[in-house]
Amino acid sequence: MAGVNTMEKKLAEFKCDTNEAICLKLVRFQEDVDDDSTTFHPEYSHQIFGDDEVAFGYKGLQIQLFYTAGNLSTLFKVKYSSKVTETFDCVEPDEVEGKIREIIPAGFTCNTDDFVSLLEKEANFKPFGTLLHTYTVHSEEAGDLTYQIHKADITCPGFQEYHERLQTFLMWFIETASFIDADDDRWDFFLVFEKYNKDGETLYATVGYMTVYNYYVYPDKTRPRVSQMLILPPFQGEGHGAQLLEAVHRFYCSLPKVQDITAEDPSENYVKLRDYVLVKLCQGMSSFAADKLHLGFSADMAKEAQDKLKINKKHARRVYEILRLRATDMSDEEKAREYRLEVKKRLFGPYRKNQRELAKMRKCLRPEELVSHMGQMDTQTQHEELEKSYQVVVEEYRRIIERLATQA
């Protein structure tokens, strides 16, 4: 038994956390290749290496996936200090290289010198598609940096191959990511690039992107639905997501055939970002004027948001709640109570639905079955959960209001 435990301990030394082992880079200059400060790591690797996010069979495992900053030409190397087969017979390591090859498109190099030579071609890389928006972000180190947002589609020369390289990042940073069928011409792609200078030339670095699918709405409209959105880690926290989402909204608002703009299975972070952007866009509308907010959510608000910004009623309601919170003196008990009841009225919708379902159950369930369902819908519990939901929502709203104040 002791021998078995010793063996397990020795084998455990050959387990590596794949989130740490995978080293990602966006390379602009040759010196970036050996500069550890330019390396970033995945948040997720379970789709490739299983739920434990572990690779077995190696010590000191390092999986290098380095990309040129603009065109995303790729270097792929697997390095390790030792392999389990050097110590143990009949124990096979995980096929790490094969698993990575399943998600990265052909055309990568495994030679560092060849990769460095590809940096010289970066000057030829230009953003795909049509320029929609240019903006600047101030950096303490580099001063004002210029960024561009472009709209592209699969017909742009070279874009399909570029997109295949770009979408590999999804696997590392979106928990439930999947690759899309980019051949479908109903996909729109929105790309963010940074302009930078190298040896007197203007080059472009990939910052992030969004994919949007245009659904048909009877009889003659479309409903753009955001599918994927990713700002690459070196650029996160700088406001690029908000700039991208606002530019996309403005683009679709200019198209008469667009019904409204939605998102597919949005994450919590996306919902917060969308709230911020939509409030920013709506706050100057006449129907959302401060003197009208205390009168409640109105048909005029829903209509103006729909007509001018293609915002559906559900999202317009959240905009109203955020703007009303900003305009409400919450130290005034009566005003605070009115606001709380207004928000809870919306939040109570799912609970009201449960009550309707319970009424239906009374007619068709046996008593013992009914009791089990009633336990799930206890009135006291509903009130407690409603209060919790309200507090969470208000806290999120306050963060959005604070962000708006810093951007004013």
Side-chain angles (χ1 to χ4, degrees):
M1 193 67 166
V4 173
N5 289 337
T6 302
M7 175 72 81
E8 286 180 352
K9 287 180 181 178
K10 287 184 177 179
L11 288 174
E13 294 174 4
F14 291 89
K15 289 183 177 179
C16 298
D17 180 334
T18 47
N19 288 339
E20 294 180 5
I22 296 168
C23 299
L24 304 165
K25 280 183 190 284
L26 294 166
V27 179
R28 302 186 185 191
F29 306 97
Q30 182 175 343
E31 51 267 32
D32 293 343
V33 174
D34 295 317
D35 183 356
D36 289 341
S37 71
T38 64
T39 301
F40 55 102
H41 301 276
E43 290 182 29
Y44 309 103
S45 55
H46 62 277
Q47 295 210 64
I48 313 303
F49 293 100
D51 290 343
D52 291 339
E53 298 180 321
V54 165
F56 170 74
Y58 308 87
K59 285 185 181 179
L61 178 66
Q62 187 179 91
I63 302 166
Q64 294 182 345
L65 282 169
F66 297 173
Y67 298 80
T68 58
N71 193 46
L72 304 180
S73 301
T74 310
L75 170 69
F76 169 44
K77 294 177 77 173
V78 176
K79 302 166 74 174
Y80 48 85
S81 56
S82 63
K83 203 172 182 179
V84 70
T85 49
E86 297 166 8
T87 309
F88 298 95
D89 294 329
C90 305
V91 179
E92 290 298 317
D94 289 343
E95 184 47 64
V96 169
E97 188 169 323
K99 290 181 177 181
I100 298 293
R101 282 175 180 267
E102 289 177 7
I103 65 161
I104 60 173
F108 59 85
T109 180
C110 297
N111 183 285
T112 303
D113 290 338
D114 290 344
F115 177 74
V116 169
S117 70
L118 291 172
L119 290 174
E120 297 171 11
K121 299 180 181 179
E122 283 286 278
N124 300 325
F125 173 77
K126 295 294 182 284
F128 298 95
T130 306
L131 175 64
L132 293 184
H133 179 54
T134 300
Y135 62 97
T136 59
V137 174
H138 183 73
S139 163
E140 291 296 328
E141 296 178 1
D144 288 337
L145 300 174
T146 301
Y147 297 87
Q148 294 183 348
I149 297 173
H150 288 245
K151 177 188 175 290
D153 59 50
I154 211 65
T155 63
C156 297
F159 178 73
Q160 184 163 1
E161 293 78 11
Y162 166 85
H163 175 257
E164 287 175 359
R165 298 189 291 273
L166 176 58
Q167 70 177 351
T168 60
F169 285 99
L170 296 177
M171 288 295 168
W172 313 127
F173 297 103
I174 296 181
E175 190 171 7
T176 57
S178 59
F179 292 162
I180 65 171
D181 176 15
D183 289 332
D184 190 329
D185 62 7
R186 285 178 288 185
W187 284 108
D188 287 333
F189 301 86
F190 298 88
L191 308 154
V192 187
F193 297 97
E194 179 192 334
K195 291 176 70 173
Y196 70 99
N197 187 280
K198 181 179 178 182
D199 301 328
E201 292 186 284
T202 298
L203 276 70
Y204 294 86
T206 300
V207 171
Y209 81 120
M210 177 189 290
T211 58
V212 180
Y213 193 80
N214 291 287
Y215 283 88
Y216 168 71
V217 178
Y218 181 85
D220 60 353
K221 298 282 189 180
T222 61
R223 174 171 284 129
R225 179 179 291 178
V226 176
S227 175
Q228 302 157 324
M229 179 178 179
L230 177 65
I231 301 299
L232 296 171
F235 304 96
Q236 289 176 4
E238 298 175 356
H240 301 296
Q243 290 280 356
L244 175 56
L245 188 55
E246 183 174 345
V248 169
H249 257 276
R250 290 190 184 280
F251 169 76
Y252 285 119
C253 287
S254 69
L255 305 180
K257 284 188 171 292
V258 169
Q259 174 82 20
D260 55 26
I261 305 162
T262 62
E264 178 185 340
D265 191 21
S267 67
E268 284 187 23
N269 285 337
Y270 178 85
V271 170
K272 292 172 186 175
L273 181 65
R274 180 176 63 196
D275 283 343
Y276 165 75
V277 169
L278 296 189
V279 170
K280 186 180 173 187
L281 292 172
C282 288
Q283 61 185 345
M285 291 182 175
S286 59
S287 62
F288 288 94
D291 61 342
K292 296 178 181 176
L293 294 169
H294 73 283
L295 300 174
F297 183 63
S298 68
D300 286 346
M301 292 175 182
K303 187 175 188 308
E304 189 173 14
Q306 172 70 55
D307 291 349
K308 293 183 178 178
L309 290 172
K310 316 291 187 182
I311 298 172
N312 64 36
K313 186 176 180 180
K314 177 182 175 182
H315 298 160
R317 167 77 195 208
R318 288 178 67 89
V319 168
Y320 149 74
E321 289 177 2
I322 295 166
L323 289 174
R324 179 164 176 176
L325 177 61
R326 186 171 70 175
T328 299
D329 178 3
M330 295 298 279
S331 65
D332 183 315
E333 287 188 18
E334 184 57 31
K335 290 178 180 177
R337 178 179 174 277
E338 288 176 1
Y339 179 77
R340 185 172 65 252
L341 291 175
E342 183 71 1
V343 174
K344 283 187 174 183
K345 184 169 68 176
R346 174 181 64 81
L347 294 174
F348 191 66
Y351 298 102
R352 192 181 296 120
K353 181 182 177 185
N354 283 344
Q355 289 176 331
R356 289 197 297 268
E357 290 175 352
L358 185 57
K360 293 177 184 176
M361 288 177 190
R362 292 182 194 278
K363 299 176 183 177
C364 59
L365 293 182
R366 295 194 303 273
E368 60 272 19
E369 293 174 324
L370 184 61
V371 168
S372 67
H373 284 280
M374 289 178 71
Q376 297 170 22
M377 302 177 187
D378 171 71
T379 303
Q380 180 62 31
T381 304
Q382 286 183 16
H383 285 303
E384 290 172 1
E385 289 301 315
L386 192 59
E387 179 61 25
K388 282 182 191 175
S389 297
Y390 169 76
Q391 294 298 340
V392 168
V393 164
V394 168
E395 187 58 36
E396 289 173 358
Y397 287 177
R398 286 198 172 110
R399 280 195 284 267
I400 291 165
I401 292 167
E402 288 170 8
R403 185 176 179 183
L404 286 164
T406 62
Q407 301 298 314

